[in-house]
Structures are given as structure tokens and as C-alpha cells.
Amino acid sequence: DSDEDVVLVAGLHSDEAIAGQKGPPLLSEQERMAVLKATKWVDEMATDLPYVSMSSRMADALRVQWICHGDDMPICKGGDGMYSDI
């Protein structure tokens, strides 16, 4: 695939979703959105996402090829990793 075939969709969790799983976020939702909007490689944004584990079935349905996450280990409140199933 050429670079022209790649679409980067950045996902953004709401402040409430983050706070419910691991405490208040360091940056507000508006601040995080501004960072993503200023990133030239981001083509689209998915917002107000729940902070739940992503199943391999969901990733396949969304045709996800790569998942990147920040440098904090994404653990859900129940103790499972965000991407344990993938």
C-alpha cells in the first residue's frame, strides 16, 4: 500500500471515561482534541469513546490494522488490559 491509502483515525476518550477508569486526565478533552487537530498526520478523529477493552472482533469490524496508545499502560478498571484480546 502507498501512503495515499493510509487513513489515520485518532481516537479520543472523554474526560469522564478516563476519570472513571484511572482518575482525572492531565489534559482536558478540549486540550487533547487541540493536540490531535494540530497533528498533520491525523486524517480523522473519533471522539467520546468509551474506555473499554477493544476486542479483536471489534478491531476486525473497524478494519483496524495498527493500534497505538500513549506511554501509560492502558488498564481497565476490572484489571484487564485495553487490548488483552488482540
Side-chain angles (χ1 to χ4, degrees):
D1 288 325
S2 71
D3 289 340
E4 294 161 6
D5 295 336
V6 175
V7 175
L8 177 61
V9 179
L12 183 67
H13 300 292
S14 68
D15 288 343
E16 294 79 22
I18 294 172
Q21 291 293 332
K22 58 183 189 176
L26 297 176
L27 297 175
S28 73
E29 190 170 346
Q30 291 77 25
E31 291 169 323
R32 295 190 314 276
M33 186 174 295
V35 169
L36 292 177
K37 285 182 177 180
T39 304
K40 69 179 182 179
W41 300 284
V42 174
D43 299 305
E44 299 175 17
M45 289 185 3
T47 59
D48 202 30
L49 297 173
Y51 201 98
V52 297
S53 296
M54 176 180 269
S55 68
S56 56
R57 185 169 51 181
M58 179 187 293
D60 289 344
L62 295 171
R63 299 183 317 157
V64 172
Q65 294 178 329
W66 298 93
I67 295 175
C68 299
H69 197 278
D71 62 354
D72 61 326
M73 193 54 122
I75 304 295
C76 292
K77 203 173 201 176
D80 294 333
M82 179 72 77
Y83 311 110
S84 296
D85 184 41
I86 296 181

